[in-house]
Amino acid sequence: MTKEYIRLDHISKKFGETTALRDLNAVLHKGEILGFLGPSGAGKTTTIKILTGQLKPTSGDAYVLGIHVGKIDESIYEQIGIVTDNSGVYERLTVHDNLRFFARILNVPTERIEELLKRVGLYEHRKKPAGKLSKGQAQRLVLARAVLHRPRLLFLDEPTSGLDPSTALDIHRLLEELRESGMAIFLTTHNMEEATKLCNHVALLNAGQIVEYGTPEELCLRYNQDKQYRLLLSDGSRLLLGQGEEDVERLSSLLRKNQVNSLHSCEPNLESVFLTVTGRALG
């Protein structure tokens, strides 16, 4: 059975009279990406802070790599990596020296630095002061630092927020490689397209509650109430057909006559599911 790297059991968190998290339940296994999805203020960052020992839950239990969060000590950071919005770099140090500094702390061989800089596309910038990097380059450096010691578990809080599509794609490819290597990744994002592409399971979070949980495909099919099919015909015209008897017969006829160039089902995407479940958009 695949190892559990994170377990949330009925986690709640209050700040005074304000409830930030309410009865969260979720599991992340080795070699998987779990996405916590929702708008700003939904409770995503609070969840990461509880799992990394920065906050104590008001109630419930959480486990990271088999350790109860109430018993987490500094040794856990040898096995996890964290990328958050306040994960900074030493701006006066070069890109290479930033990683060399952390390599010494984490007892990582220096050969790992050049290997990683090449992988994240920063090798040509290795002598540049970190303060001179673009936002996308700085984010790659932060990610490189987080995986420098090959952690078993990686926490990513909105890792591609504000990045251009090309840089975001590079980070997606790296995350997929890390997952394939067996790393478990806890990802928070409000980018539903990103989550659909990367995540094995997703939790839709709204006002501190998980309102839906499952694989992206499961959730989209679960809310596919009006089953329809979009067709592009050989004459360039387009059709939208349902599952009524007449539509099924028409589709069958078009296929027999080889008049269909493309056929797509019209299930909703994750963003549409979120809107259906919560009645609110992600903006």
Side-chain angles (χ1 to χ4, degrees):
M1 188 173 178
T2 309
K3 293 181 180 178
E4 285 185 0
Y5 276 16
I6 286 178
R7 172 171 285 277
L8 294 167
D9 283 332
H10 303 289
I11 286 292
S12 295
K13 177 64 180 177
K14 288 187 174 183
F15 296 99
E17 297 299 315
T18 302
T19 299
L21 299 176
R22 191 189 307 272
D23 198 35
L24 300 191
N25 296 280
V27 176
L28 171 61
H29 294 96
K30 176 182 180 181
E32 290 184 349
I33 299 178
L34 170 63
F36 261 44
L37 317 182
S40 298
K44 305 186 300 294
T45 301
T46 299
T47 304
I48 282 186
K49 287 183 176 180
I50 287 174
L51 289 170
T52 54
Q54 300 173 67
L55 283 176
K56 292 183 179 180
T58 302
S59 61
D61 296 291
Y63 300 85
V64 175
L65 299 176
I67 303 170
H68 191 281
V69 291
K71 298 180 180 178
I72 283 178
D73 59 28
E74 291 183 0
S75 64
I76 194 73
Y77 294 104
E78 297 174 4
Q79 302 181 71
I80 68 174
I82 306 172
V83 175
T84 66
D85 59 359
N86 59 5
S87 295
V89 295
Y90 292 105
E91 294 188 350
R92 294 185 180 181
L93 293 181
T94 65
V95 168
H96 185 277
D97 286 348
N98 262 275
L99 292 188
R100 187 173 65 173
F101 175 78
F102 286 98
R104 288 174 177 172
I105 294 174
L106 298 165
N107 294 316
V108 174
T110 54
E111 299 79 41
R112 168 75 171 154
I113 297 173
E114 290 199 358
E115 168 196 332
L116 199 51
L117 286 176
K118 290 176 181 177
R119 181 60 199 86
V120 300
L122 288 177
Y123 185 74
E124 293 181 358
H125 303 280
R126 64 191 182 280
K127 296 180 181 179
K128 182 185 292 186
K132 300 290 186 180
L133 298 176
S134 69
K135 182 174 181 180
Q137 291 168 341
Q139 189 70 343
R140 293 187 201 189
L141 178 57
V142 169
L143 183 56
R145 191 186 74 189
V147 300
L148 182 63
H149 56 305
R150 292 188 172 93
R152 297 165 64 193
L153 174 60
L154 180 61
F155 291 93
L156 299 175
D157 194 6
E158 304 277 2
T160 59
S161 178
L163 301 186
D164 65 86
S166 177
T167 301
L169 181 60
D170 287 340
I171 289 179
H172 289 170
R173 288 171 178 157
L174 177 59
L175 297 184
E176 289 169 337
E177 287 181 17
L178 293 172
R179 174 177 57 189
E180 291 300 314
S181 74
M183 189 180 295
I185 300 173
F186 185 95
L187 170 72
T188 76
T189 182
H190 64 272
N191 184 330
M192 297 293 173
E193 185 178 344
E194 176 173 82
T196 301
K197 176 182 178 181
L198 294 176
C199 295
N200 300 90
H201 292 85
V202 295
L204 302 188
L205 202 63
N206 183 48
Q209 287 185 283
I210 294 176
V211 292
E212 271 295 359
Y213 186 89
T215 69
E217 184 180 35
E218 285 172 351
L219 296 189
C220 292
L221 291 176
R222 190 178 301 166
Y223 287 86
N224 188 20
Q225 304 299 326
D226 301 318
K227 295 183 173 63
Q228 295 180 317
Y229 304 90
R230 187 179 296 112
L231 285 72
L232 174 63
L233 303 183
S234 54
D235 64 2
S237 61
R238 299 175 186 273
L239 277 179
L240 187 64
L241 299 178
Q243 290 194 324
E245 189 173 331
E246 289 185 9
D247 281 353
V248 170
E249 183 57 39
R250 189 175 184 186
L251 174 59
S252 179
S253 174
L254 289 167
L255 289 170
R256 284 196 300 269
K257 295 175 181 178
N258 196 28
Q259 293 180 346
V260 178
N261 276 354
S262 67
L263 171 63
H264 298 281
S265 58
C266 300
E267 63 270 9
N269 57 27
L270 275 182
E271 189 158 1
S272 298
V273 171
F274 188 88
L275 180 61
T276 299
V277 174
T278 66
R280 61 181 292 194
L282 282 166

